[in-house]
Amino acid sequence: MWNAKNSEIEDLHHIFSSNVIAQSPLGKKLGREGMQATNIHWSQAFPDMALSNISIETYDNTVVAEWTSKG
């Protein structure tokens, strides 16, 4: 999503749960709309941003993703 520079809400339905929590220096954002807003803000601030070293772990009903980004 980030590397492709795609922040369409329809695509977020395929990637994230409706109760996703995005925690970043922008603060805590809830839901797909919050994830979309976070993606738009970061993409506008760093148009050449790219993610790498993506790590995804699951803990019962929780999925945690961590990555490295440069821009």
Side-chain angles (χ1 to χ4, degrees):
M1 177 182 83
W2 287 275
N3 290 344
K5 307 296 184 246
N6 187 357
S7 60
E8 295 298 321
I9 194 70
E10 297 84 26
D11 293 329
L12 298 180
H13 286 273
H14 299 290
I15 301 171
F16 298 104
S17 164
S18 61
N19 57 357
V20 63
I21 300 171
Q23 182 68 43
S24 78
L26 298 173
K28 183 189 288 186
K29 306 291 184 182
L30 305 175
R32 291 182 186 116
E33 290 77 15
M35 180 62 77
Q36 181 185 34
T38 298
N39 185 35
I40 290 169
H41 282 104
W42 283 112
S43 295
Q44 288 174 346
F46 301 99
D48 62 343
M49 179 177 66
L51 275 60
S52 62
N53 301 322
I54 299 170
S55 171
I56 299 173
E57 300 286 333
T58 58
Y59 306 93
D60 295 323
N61 291 334
T62 302
V63 178
V64 177
E66 294 181 286
W67 56 82
T68 301
S69 62
K70 293 182 180 184

